[in-house]
């Protein structure tokens, strides 16, 4: 087990120590800059509390927010500070710069919780720069990585930093790893996977790994049209990944892989003037597939009834347009009532669950998109490899 080998909070001493805590507070913001979904913030609160219970004298929190190119007011951590104050009811001191950090850092008597400015305002972060990591490390005695969503990135605050401080993972990373490992290594069966999304290329390694572990693997989303095309069907204007057609053809030989038999098609994905439900052999040249049809949706719902474990990654339709979100939403609502252990594998799917207010109805909703994808692919996470004992 990967998790067994990684250093955890219980392996380090926190008594009177200043702790540098990397979180993934990269939350979605609306056009006014307000937080749309604070799930990731809430999920790291336990670690902050736990560190104080272990005797930490100060917790210095750092995260990235968005993908800014240098300083960008829109992505300042002020909005995170305000949310943290609301959620913890504690005083939080936020620093506006990471320059001369040692000099501006308040001591633990002045501030128990400090929040640093957006790491991605500094190019050292994404370059995994040693000097950047060193300057961060100078303000603390111990480092904790609780940023599960960033563990697939080789960035300074999750990778290089571990060279300069005694380091371990936090409770959220531990929980995520433990759930994914148990699911993949000893699931209760039947074990089914639902893999959606538009980019076949990114899902191929996941399908290849999961197909050996699950009893059935249901495909949905824009990527399914490549599978139809290689079977000789006309797919009209639907997504087609020519570069992966050979791989798609090979995968079709595996009888665990199940494709929808009917789909919802339209003439435009954003402003359709017509849309209808057809079997997959009836897609006209001027239309594109955007959701799973009712017959296939009912079939999936029925099949899921006997499952003991289900993992879902990626929407099964073009959910950005409510006209094509029906299959994704209906299936999520059904699974929320299921007796099975349902694990929602991060990214867009977790975001939809949060929007539907169904988070507490599932066994686990992951905080990591790309990171959970890597675990489903069966590969390690680059930022955790450096924390192996
Ligand atoms: C995420 O949202 O998946 C993580 O915060 C990583 O963000 P990134 O994809 O911009 O590296």
């Amino acid at each position: 087990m990967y998790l067994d080998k990684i250093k955890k909070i219980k392996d380090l001493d926190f008594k009177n120590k200043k702790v540098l805590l990397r979180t993934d507070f990269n939350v979605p913001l609306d056009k006014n800059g307000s937080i749309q979904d604070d799930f990731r913030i809430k999920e790291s609160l336990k670690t902050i509390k736990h560190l104080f219970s272990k005797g930490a004298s100060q917790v210095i929190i750092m995260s990235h927010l968005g993908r800014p190119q240098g300083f960008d007011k829109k992505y300042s951590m002020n909005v995170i500070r305000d949310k943290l104050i609301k959620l913890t009811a504690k005083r939080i001191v936020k620093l506006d710069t990471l320059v001369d950090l040692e000099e501006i850092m308040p001591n633990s008597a002045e501030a128990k919780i400090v929040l640093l400015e957006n790491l991605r305002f500094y190019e050292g972060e994404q370059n995994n720069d040693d000097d950047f990591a060193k300057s961060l490390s100078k303000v603390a005695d111990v480092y904790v990585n609780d940023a599960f969503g960033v563990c697939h990135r080789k960035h300074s605050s999750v990778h290089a930093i571990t060279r300069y401080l005694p380091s371990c993972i936090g409770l959220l990373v531990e929980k995520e790893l433990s759930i994914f490992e148990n699911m993949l290594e000893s699931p209760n069966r039947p074990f089914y996977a639902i893999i959606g999304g538009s980019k076949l290329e990114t899902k191929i390694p996941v399908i290849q790994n999961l197909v050996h572990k699950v009893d059935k693997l249901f495909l949905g989303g824009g990527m399914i049209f490549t599978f139809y095309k290689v079977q000789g069907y006309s797919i009209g204007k639907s997504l087609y990944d020519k570069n992966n057609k050979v791989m798609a053809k090979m995968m079709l030989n595996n009888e665990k892989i199940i494709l929808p038999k009917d789909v919802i098609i339209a003439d435009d994905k954003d402003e359709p003037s017509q849309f209808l439900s057809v079997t997959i052999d009836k897609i006209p040249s001027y239309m594109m597939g955007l959701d799973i049809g009712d017959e296939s949706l009912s079939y999936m719902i029925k099949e899921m009834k006997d499952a003991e474990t289900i993992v879902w990654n990626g929407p099964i339709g073009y959910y950005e347009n409510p006209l094509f979100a029906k299959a994704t939403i209906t299936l999520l609502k059904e699974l929320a009532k299921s007796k099975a252990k349902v694990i929602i594998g991060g990214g867009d799917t977790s975001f939809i669950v949060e929007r539907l207010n169904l988070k507490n109805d599932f066994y686990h909703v992951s905080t990591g998109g790309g990171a959970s994808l890597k675990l489903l692919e069966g590969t390690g996470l680059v930022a955790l490899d450096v924390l192996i004992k």
Side-chain angles (χ1 to χ4, degrees):
M1 295 267 275
Y2 190 48
L3 178 59
D4 286 349
K5 299 186 204 136
I6 295 170
K7 279 186 273 173
K8 305 175 189 67
I9 288 181
K10 68 176 169 47
D11 299 316
L12 297 183
D13 177 20
F14 289 92
K15 192 114 192 82
N16 298 323
K17 298 278 190 328
K18 292 182 190 167
V19 185
L20 187 58
L21 175 68
R22 174 51 154 116
T23 55
D24 182 8
F25 288 169
N26 182 28
V27 291
L29 303 176
D30 65 18
K31 55 179 186 314
N32 304 317
S34 307
I35 296 175
Q36 276 182 302
D37 167 8
D38 59 6
F39 174 47
R40 282 178 164 175
I41 304 178
K42 283 187 186 145
E43 288 293 298
S44 264
L45 295 181
K46 246 193 230 155
T47 302
I48 301 171
K49 221 168 150 187
H50 189 67
L51 289 169
F52 283 118
S53 78
K54 292 276 154 200
S57 59
Q58 186 177 49
V59 175
I60 301 154
I61 304 170
M62 56 178 178
S63 176
H64 74 286
L65 177 61
R67 289 178 173 168
Q69 307 292 323
F71 180 80
D72 184 341
K73 210 170 136 224
K74 214 167 60 206
Y75 295 110
S76 154
M77 298 293 281
N78 290 347
V79 66
I80 304 288
R81 175 202 52 208
D82 297 346
K83 180 56 90 176
L84 272 174
I85 291 173
K86 260 197 198 134
L87 292 173
T88 61
K90 299 237 179 315
R91 182 168 168 263
I92 316 265
V93 173
K94 189 223 156 211
L95 302 184
D96 294 332
T97 174
L98 301 182
V99 178
D100 297 326
L101 201 52
E102 252 185 305
E103 281 154 43
I104 59 170
M105 181 61 64
N107 65 36
S108 53
E110 288 160 346
K112 288 267 173 240
I113 306 179
V114 179
L115 176 67
L116 301 189
E117 189 47 283
N118 192 340
L119 292 161
R120 287 197 186 166
F121 286 175
Y122 300 85
E123 61 180 26
E125 166 64 353
Q126 292 189 77
N127 295 339
N128 200 26
D129 185 78
D130 265 317
D131 291 333
F132 185 64
K134 228 184 274 176
S135 73
L136 292 171
S137 73
K138 292 224 170 93
V139 296
D141 309 302
V142 193
Y143 165 76
V144 176
N145 179 353
D146 210 28
F148 175 69
V150 198
C151 286
H152 60 308
R153 302 279 186 225
K154 197 172 173 182
H155 291 174
S156 195
S157 66
V158 289
H159 196 274
I161 187 86
T162 61
R163 291 184 206 131
Y164 302 104
L165 287 172
S167 306
C168 69
I169 55 169
L171 299 182
L172 175 61
V173 173
E174 195 175 333
K175 175 174 134 189
E176 294 267 13
L177 274 186
S178 152
I179 287 173
F180 276 94
E181 281 197 353
N182 286 329
M183 173 188 75
L184 293 171
E185 286 170 23
S186 50
N188 294 339
R189 292 186 184 274
F191 175 22
Y192 297 157
I194 303 163
I195 304 297
S198 54
K199 289 192 199 122
L200 175 60
E201 190 192 345
T202 61
K203 301 294 163 119
I204 284 175
V206 177
I207 300 170
Q208 280 176 320
N209 184 47
L210 281 183
V211 83
H212 300 294
K213 313 226 175 235
V214 299
D215 299 298
K216 289 180 188 170
L217 197 153
F218 297 83
L219 295 183
M223 67 163 157
I224 57 177
F225 296 93
T226 300
F227 290 90
Y228 299 139
K229 175 107 175 165
V230 299
Q231 284 177 291
Y233 293 112
S234 307
I235 59 167
K237 294 194 293 171
S238 311
L239 289 176
Y240 175 51
D241 181 351
K242 199 161 123 209
N243 296 333
N244 287 298
K245 63 178 183 192
V246 178
M247 190 55 83
K249 205 163 190 167
M250 269 166 55
M251 284 178 172
L252 285 170
N253 293 328
N254 194 312
E255 59 194 22
K256 287 187 193 169
I257 295 181
I258 299 166
L259 284 159
K261 292 198 172 8
D262 61 334
V263 289
I264 306 292
I265 54 171
D267 53 347
D268 187 83
K269 67 180 176 29
D270 299 311
E271 285 171 7
S273 57
Q274 24 161 331
F275 70 97
L276 51 143
S277 177
V278 293
T279 50
I280 50 133
D281 56 343
K282 300 220 163 44
I283 305 177
S285 59
Y286 64 98
M287 303 277 262
M288 64 180 80
L290 293 160
D291 201 3
I292 285 182
D294 285 348
E295 199 186 304
S296 303
L297 177 60
S298 306
Y299 173 73
M300 277 172 94
I301 292 171
K302 196 168 119 265
E303 286 288 290
M304 296 296 150
K305 292 246 190 288
D306 69 331
E308 290 288 334
T309 310
I310 300 168
V311 60
W312 182 342
N313 180 281
I316 52 175
Y318 178 60
Y319 81 97
E320 289 89 340
N321 184 340
L323 286 174
F324 308 114
K326 182 182 167 194
T328 303
I329 291 176
T330 310
L331 191 56
L332 276 173
K333 285 185 176 165
E334 282 297 322
L335 295 188
K337 296 184 264 173
S338 164
K339 62 171 182 16
K341 274 187 183 173
V342 182
I343 290 128
I344 304 291
D348 290 338
T349 335
S350 294
F351 183 51
I352 303 167
V353 166
E354 184 70 11
R355 260 192 0 204
L356 294 172
N357 209 5
L358 292 176
K359 201 181 96 2
N360 296 328
D361 298 303
F362 293 106
Y363 177 70
H364 181 63
V365 179
S366 178
T367 54
S372 63
L373 215 53
K374 284 276 164 224
L375 292 182
L376 295 176
E377 285 171 18
T379 49
L381 295 170
V382 72
L384 299 185
D385 291 341
V386 287
L387 294 177
I388 290 179
K389 289 179 211 172

